[in-house]
Amino acid sequence: QGPASLVSCDEQLVWCIPPKSKRSQLVNVISLLPRINPTGEPDVAHAIHPLSPIIKHKTLVMIFSDLLVYPEPVLQSLLYLRHGGNDVILFHILDEAEVAFPFDGMCRLENPEDHDFVRVDAAGFRREYVDEIEGFRDQYKKVCLKSGVDYVPLDTSMPFDKALTEYLMKRRLRGR
């Protein structure tokens, strides 16, 4: 097992746990993840790109994000990390309601891009919305699969530490 560390970002890169090779380090990282609460507008691509020069050896890089930004810069940054020989896992985490759209009746929704509100009939909007979310995730999945990045879609209905542990165990069993 190589060094493990934890990096968080909002408008800039923030080191939360510096790299160490101790056995307890992964436990430290996993236990801190649910408590991270970035503020401001995260720039995932801007945060990922500077990691490559910092990483001295080929390593496992796990990225956790809702990815609610334009995908192209993020995908380019993932490819840059991968090109450096790193093993990259992208955990795409959305709120359970963002994935399932469990609303009924007339709803007031906020557009994340311009923060305007729109009223919609949930029943008439649900299929279109779910299709868009699936397409959004599928775009990441296809590029990740093609480039050798593991793509893991998650939502907040599953406790985060359990989801992460289960995924890492499955990954280990398949020899990666």
Side-chain angles (χ1 to χ4, degrees):
Q1 169 181 312
S5 69
L6 177 64
V7 176
S8 176
C9 73
D10 40 35
E11 284 100 7
Q12 60 185 350
L13 207 56
V14 179
W15 287 94
C16 294
I17 298 179
K20 289 185 185 170
S21 293
K22 292 178 166 182
R23 285 192 178 276
S24 61
Q25 184 74 340
L26 187 56
V27 173
N28 292 339
V29 168
I30 291 172
S31 68
L32 185 59
L33 283 172
R35 296 193 308 254
I36 293 176
N37 189 17
T39 58
E41 293 293 323
D43 183 348
V44 180
H46 182 75
I48 293 172
H49 201 71
L51 290 177
S52 284
I54 294 170
I55 299 170
K56 302 296 183 203
H57 307 284
K58 293 179 184 177
T59 191
L60 172 63
V61 178
M62 296 186 288
I63 298 164
F64 303 87
S65 176
D66 61 12
L67 301 171
L68 295 177
V69 295
Y70 290 106
E72 290 307 315
V74 175
L75 293 168
Q76 288 302 314
S77 293
L78 291 172
L79 295 174
Y80 183 71
L81 269 178
R82 205 41 209 128
H83 181 73
N86 298 298
D87 190 4
V88 180
I89 306 171
L90 177 61
F91 291 91
H92 190 178
I93 305 168
L94 294 174
D95 187 274
E96 180 180 14
E98 291 172 325
V99 175
F101 200 78
F103 309 107
D104 290 315
M106 292 302 290
C107 298
R108 183 177 164 205
L109 303 175
E110 182 180 2
N111 181 336
E113 291 179 16
D114 59 16
H115 301 289
D116 284 342
F117 290 92
V118 62
R119 290 187 57 83
V120 298
D121 174 31
F125 185 68
R126 183 174 290 108
R127 183 75 257 151
E128 180 182 344
Y129 174 85
V130 169
D131 287 347
E132 282 293 320
I133 289 294
E134 288 173 1
F136 173 62
R137 283 185 151 182
D138 197 45
Q139 180 180 9
Y140 278 100
K141 183 179 179 178
K142 285 178 183 174
V143 172
C144 287
L145 182 63
K146 184 177 179 181
S147 63
V149 172
D150 278 10
Y151 176 77
V152 183
L154 295 174
D155 69 56
T156 56
S157 66
M158 179 178 236
F160 183 73
D161 54 343
K162 181 178 179 184
L164 177 59
T165 303
E166 284 181 12
Y167 172 76
L168 293 174
M169 292 300 289
K170 287 179 191 174
R171 189 173 198 273
R172 176 184 254 170
L173 290 173
R174 74 172 197 248
R176 208 162 160 203

